[in-house]
């Protein structure tokens, strides 16, 4: 009787965990498909890489939408031999216009055009200026 009860609770936990993981997977695929179809192209900058203990590396990148800075992480499991050569480089990204925090970075589409890179750098400056103005207003109580 007690053993039966234990197994039933164990199965409930497994079902809940599998359900949550399944939901997250389906949701991720939904956003990726939507970004692929409706996404707006832009430039992203990879600023860091982090190797997990038992996971594939993660790339950390930034991009700007309307002079507002966004950060995201790309799991790089689809790229073999990932190393620091991807860091401090610019790549094509796509983001959702109605939800710019959702984006995809294309590591196979590196940006080398200096005009596009300069445009990205200008966005960085405008965003930083906006952040500084906001902090000043908050400090002055405006």
């Amino acid at each position: 009787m007690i053993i039966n009860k234990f197994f039933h609770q164990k199965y409930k936990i497994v079902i809940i965990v599998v359900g949550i993981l399944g939901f997250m997977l389906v949701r991720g695929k939904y956003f990726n498909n939507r970004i692929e179809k409706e996404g707006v192209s832009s430039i992203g900058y990879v600023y860091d890489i982090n190797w997990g203990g038992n996971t594939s590396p993660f790339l950390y990148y930034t991009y700007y939408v309307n002079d507002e800075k966004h950060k995201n992480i790309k799991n790089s499991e689809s790229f073999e031999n990932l190393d620091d050569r991807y860091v401090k480089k610019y790549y094509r990204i796509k983001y959702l216009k109605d939800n710019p925090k959702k984006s995809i970075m294309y590591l196979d589409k590196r940006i080398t055009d200096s005009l596009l890179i300069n445009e990205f750098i200008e966005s960085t400056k405008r965003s930083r200026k906006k952040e500084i103005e906001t902090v000043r207003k908050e400090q002055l109580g405006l």
Side-chain angles (χ1 to χ4, degrees):
M1 182 82 165
I2 294 173
I3 294 173
N4 239 356
K5 196 174 192 180
F6 172 76
F7 281 118
H8 285 298
Q9 285 185 343
K10 188 176 180 182
Y11 287 130
K12 286 178 187 176
I13 292 171
V14 169
I15 290 170
I16 290 170
V17 169
V18 169
I20 290 171
L21 292 174
F23 172 76
M24 290 170 52
L25 180 67
V26 169
R27 186 171 183 250
K29 292 286 185 193
Y30 165 76
F31 276 115
N32 284 350
N33 288 339
R34 194 166 159 228
I35 292 169
E36 288 285 342
K37 292 177 185 174
E38 305 169 21
V40 178
S41 289
S42 188
I43 298 172
Y45 176 74
V46 175
Y47 65 90
D48 198 8
I49 187 171
N50 186 10
W51 285 269
N54 294 325
T55 64
S56 57
F58 289 90
L59 292 173
Y60 296 85
Y61 64 97
T62 60
Y63 57 100
Y64 295 85
V65 178
N66 298 326
D67 299 333
E68 186 177 322
K69 182 178 184 178
H70 295 276
K71 292 183 177 184
N72 212 334
I73 300 170
K74 177 174 181 53
N75 181 314
S76 53
E77 62 190 19
S78 60
F79 284 84
E80 294 179 19
N81 303 322
L82 192 67
D83 55 27
D84 288 335
R85 70 178 165 215
Y86 289 94
V87 180
K88 297 185 180 176
K89 304 269 187 326
Y90 301 87
Y91 299 92
R92 180 173 171 243
I93 66 150
K94 273 187 161 183
Y95 65 89
L96 289 176
K97 193 172 186 174
D98 62 340
N99 189 355
K101 292 182 181 184
K102 299 291 184 190
S103 66
I104 296 175
M105 176 171 270
Y106 301 94
L107 292 177
D108 56 338
K109 299 193 189 300
R110 185 165 168 220
I111 305 291
T112 56
D113 184 329
S114 60
L115 292 174
L116 292 174
I117 292 171
N118 285 337
E119 184 180 310
F120 179 89
I121 292 168
E122 285 302 314
S123 291
T124 305
K125 290 177 184 176
R126 288 190 303 268
S127 177
R128 185 72 182 130
K129 191 174 181 181
K130 218 183 225 185
E131 288 174 23
I132 291 169
E133 288 173 9
T134 303
V135 169
R136 282 187 185 147
K137 286 180 182 178
E138 287 174 359
Q139 288 176 346
L140 295 173
L142 299 175

